[in-house]
Amino acid sequence: ITVFKYPKGVHNVYKVNQKQFQNCDIASATKKYTSGGDTITLKSGTSWFICGVGDHCRNGQKLVVNVN
């Protein structure tokens, strides 16, 4: 389980694929989280997450998680 804590309304979390992660593309993201205290259960493999607010992703607000 991964928990994202952030000020609600200031940030968000999008679950994206690798290409979307590299391009900071939220247009076809698989899931959007906005609560400020998002609990996400991860499966084996790689998951990519980005913030979709303004230039946050392009400024480095993104995360890759690998689960074995």
Side-chain angles (χ1 to χ4, degrees), residues 16-33:
V16 295
N17 63 34
Q18 185 176 15
K19 184 175 180 182
Q20 293 165 323
F21 178 87
Q22 292 168 339
N23 296 322
C24 292
D25 174 18
I26 60 171
S28 55
T30 57
K31 188 74 176 166
K32 178 182 180 183
Y33 301 91

Side-chain angles (χ1 to χ4, degrees), residues 1-24:
I1 295 177
T2 298
V3 178
F4 289 92
K5 290 195 172 268
Y6 53 90
K8 184 177 181 177
V10 176
H11 300 286
N12 55 41
V13 176
Y14 282 86
K15 186 171 189 308
V16 295
N17 63 34
Q18 185 176 15
K19 184 175 180 182
Q20 293 165 323
F21 178 87
Q22 292 168 339
N23 296 322
C24 292

